[in-house]
Amino acid sequence: MPEDPKEPAAPKGPGKPVKPVGGAARELVVRNRHDSIPMDLLFRGDGAEPAKPKSPGAPEGERGTGRTRAAAPAGEASAPEGSRPAPCPPRPDRDLVERRGRACSGWWALLVALLALAGAGALVWSGGLLPARLTEFLRLPERPSGQGLDAWRWASVGGCGVVVLFALGGLTRGRVGSAWTLSLFGRYRGSVRRTGLVWISPLMLRRRVDVRLRHWRSEPMTAVDAQGVELRVVVLVVWQVKDAARALFTVDDHTEYLREQVEAVTARVASRLPADSFREPADDVPTLRDAEAVGDALTRALAAECRAVGVEVFSARPTRVEYAPEVAAAMLRRQVAALDAKHRDSVLTSVLDAVDDTVHRLTERGLVALDDYERKALVKDLTVAFYTSRGTAPDSR
């Protein structure tokens, strides 16, 4: 049996073609083997997955996951991880804006009603249907009775009656500080802010909206400050209906909406700051006791929330910020302790300044010669004497 020809030994370098005897050239690939375990594999947990190779085209932070991060839209910055989007106030309806409704002076409507009534009376008199006593009272010439009215005269009398009813039915009284909001078949038709005797079409559905400057003082509302302490906050709000159409058609009750927003905004603003600062210096820490800053924050937030319903907020000021009854006693003791510590610190500072000045004068003028031991004893005695004479902080009990 003939023996197979032996192939020559393959070179060590990979990728080099080897031409066997009597055959075509083939490429021999030599795989490298690790003789030792990499150090990063020694300290890896059992459940950890091996690192995946990074794709060259993937962005940083997404390589090895098989996913690419979607590009942010133009003009919009990507939000950092862990940050919550800021609450967005409701947007007003651009199609629903207060506009001037159709109305006229009520005196013109009265004049038209009187003219229509006079025309109907003239037609009735011309047909001889007017009673004799009324004819004598008005000093009108007598017409022969029994003539009656033809069809077009009866139609004219009916038309005059409709005009009288239409003119008198649209009369209303406009008040100062109020507006009539008109709608027809569920569609907004305008607002009327005229005063006095006003005529509005009787086909319109009219609803009155108070547009005067108003103020509302809330009941004690529950809130929590930045430290988690429960509070009772009372807020005074000055507001006015700026857009009667939005105030009436955007929400069921704009006054109730305002009250709910006052409570929500107060809770949100109060949670950003502590009620009191017990640290030193206290002036550098903003607290809820700063009524001006807290009022400005409340006004801005409440105005943004109520703009969509046609309500303009002029000011929202906290009139009372106090602790809840459950924690009031504990926080009072904490306040007293902080004042006591502040008083003791100020007294001790002044005593030390006085002792230092006394010892410096005695030694500078040569009245006494003191060594270190005697100096320490003198400082101790002077400190006790000055501190006792100035008194300690008042007893908190």
Side-chain angles (χ1 to χ4, degrees), residues 3-64:
E3 297 180 358
D4 294 337
K6 297 182 179 180
E7 296 181 358
K12 295 183 179 180
K16 294 183 180 181
V18 177
K19 187 175 181 181
V21 178
R26 292 186 303 175
E27 183 177 358
L28 181 61
V29 179
V30 178
R31 299 183 180 273
N32 295 328
R33 294 182 300 176
H34 293 286
D35 296 335
S36 61
I37 301 176
M39 295 299 296
D40 57 343
L41 297 179
L42 293 176
F43 303 98
R44 181 168 300 184
D46 297 337
E49 297 181 359
K52 297 182 180 179
K54 299 181 179 179
S55 58
E60 190 69 23
E62 297 290 340
R63 297 179 179 177

Side-chain angles (χ1 to χ4, degrees), residues 88-163:
C88 181
R91 297 181 179 179
D93 187 3
R94 297 182 179 180
D95 298 333
L96 185 60
V97 182
E98 181 179 352
R99 59 180 181 270
R100 188 174 180 180
R102 295 182 179 181
C104 67
S105 176
W107 300 107
W108 290 107
L110 283 177
L111 179 60
V112 171
L114 291 177
L115 291 177
L117 189 60
L123 291 174
V124 173
W125 171 77
S126 64
L129 300 179
L130 199 65
R133 292 184 179 180
L134 185 59
T135 303
E136 294 177 358
F137 177 76
L138 297 176
R139 297 179 182 181
L140 298 175
E142 295 184 1
R143 301 288 294 178
S145 60
Q147 291 184 358
L149 299 176
D150 50 10
W152 70 270
R153 290 186 179 181
W154 279 114
S156 300
V157 171
C160 291
V162 171
V163 171

Side-chain angles (χ1 to χ4, degrees), residues 212-227:
R212 295 175 296 178
L213 186 66
R214 304 167 66 180
H215 69 279
W216 175 68
R217 183 185 179 94
S218 69
E219 298 294 331
M221 298 178 294
T222 303
V224 179
D225 67 351
Q227 298 177 349

Side-chain angles (χ1 to χ4, degrees), residues 100-113 166-168 170-174 192 194-201:
R100 188 174 180 180
R102 295 182 179 181
C104 67
S105 176
W107 300 107
W108 290 107
L110 283 177
L111 179 60
V112 171
F166 198 76
L168 297 180
L171 290 177
T172 185
R173 182 182 61 174
V192 178
R194 302 182 60 168
T195 58
L197 191 61
V198 184
W199 182 86
I200 303 174
S201 174

Side-chain angles (χ1 to χ4, degrees), residues 59-73:
E60 190 69 23
E62 297 290 340
R63 297 179 179 177
T65 60
R67 297 176 297 177
T68 56
R69 183 178 300 175

Side-chain angles (χ1 to χ4, degrees), residues 26-350:
R26 292 186 303 175
E27 183 177 358
L28 181 61
V29 179
V30 178
R31 299 183 180 273
N32 295 328
R33 294 182 300 176
H34 293 286
D35 296 335
S36 61
I37 301 176
M39 295 299 296
D40 57 343
L41 297 179
L42 293 176
F43 303 98
R44 181 168 300 184
D46 297 337
E49 297 181 359
K52 297 182 180 179
K54 299 181 179 179
S55 58
E60 190 69 23
E62 297 290 340
R63 297 179 179 177
T65 60
R67 297 176 297 177
T68 56
R69 183 178 300 175
E76 181 178 346
S78 59
E81 297 182 359
S83 62
R84 297 181 180 178
C88 181
R91 297 181 179 179
D93 187 3
R94 297 182 179 180
D95 298 333
L96 185 60
V97 182
E98 181 179 352
R99 59 180 181 270
R100 188 174 180 180
R102 295 182 179 181
C104 67
S105 176
W107 300 107
W108 290 107
L110 283 177
L111 179 60
V112 171
L114 291 177
L115 291 177
L117 189 60
L123 291 174
V124 173
W125 171 77
S126 64
L129 300 179
L130 199 65
R133 292 184 179 180
L134 185 59
T135 303
E136 294 177 358
F137 177 76
L138 297 176
R139 297 179 182 181
L140 298 175
E142 295 184 1
R143 301 288 294 178
S145 60
Q147 291 184 358
L149 299 176
D150 50 10
W152 70 270
R153 290 186 179 181
W154 279 114
S156 300
V157 171
C160 291
V162 171
V163 171
V164 171
L165 293 177
F166 198 76
L168 297 180
L171 290 177
T172 185
R173 182 182 61 174
R175 300 177 183 176
V176 178
S178 64
W180 287 108
T181 303
L182 312 179
S183 61
L184 181 63
F185 302 114
R187 186 176 180 181
Y188 174 65
R189 291 294 184 179
S191 301
V192 178
R193 297 201 180 198
R194 302 182 60 168
T195 58
L197 191 61
V198 184
W199 182 86
I200 303 174
S201 174
L203 301 178
M204 300 286 185
L205 177 61
R206 295 171 286 183
R207 283 183 283 185
R208 191 187 297 272
V209 179
D210 192 350
V211 295
R212 295 175 296 178
L213 186 66
R214 304 167 66 180
H215 69 279
W216 175 68
R217 183 185 179 94
S218 69
E219 298 294 331
M221 298 178 294
T222 303
V224 179
D225 67 351
Q227 298 177 349
V229 182
E230 189 175 355
L231 305 174
R232 297 292 185 269
V233 185
V234 178
V235 180
L236 177 65
V237 184
V238 180
W239 61 283
Q240 185 181 21
V241 174
K242 185 178 182 180
D243 194 314
R246 289 178 177 175
L248 189 61
F249 295 108
T250 304
V251 291
D252 293 337
D253 188 356
H254 60 278
T255 56
E256 186 65 25
Y257 177 84
L258 176 64
R259 294 175 182 176
E260 297 294 338
Q261 288 300 325
V262 167
E263 185 174 358
V265 170
T266 301
R268 187 165 70 246
V269 173
S271 62
R272 301 173 184 172
L273 299 174
D276 291 294
S277 176
F278 303 101
R279 296 180 297 175
E280 292 294 340
D283 297 337
D284 298 339
V285 180
T287 63
L288 295 177
R289 303 302 177 183
D290 188 357
E292 192 69 23
V294 175
D296 293 341
L298 283 174
T299 302
R300 289 193 301 267
L302 188 59
E305 295 290 341
C306 297
R307 189 177 295 112
V309 298
V311 175
E312 183 178 6
V313 178
F314 295 98
S315 67
R317 304 293 178 185
T319 59
R320 190 169 74 236
V321 179
E322 57 186 15
Y323 293 103
E326 297 81 5
V327 297
M331 299 309 296
L332 179 60
R333 289 193 297 269
R334 188 176 179 183
Q335 288 179 348
V336 171
L339 293 176
D340 188 9
K342 185 177 180 180
H343 176 73
R344 290 178 183 273
D345 182 71
S346 62
V347 170
L348 184 59
T349 301
S350 61

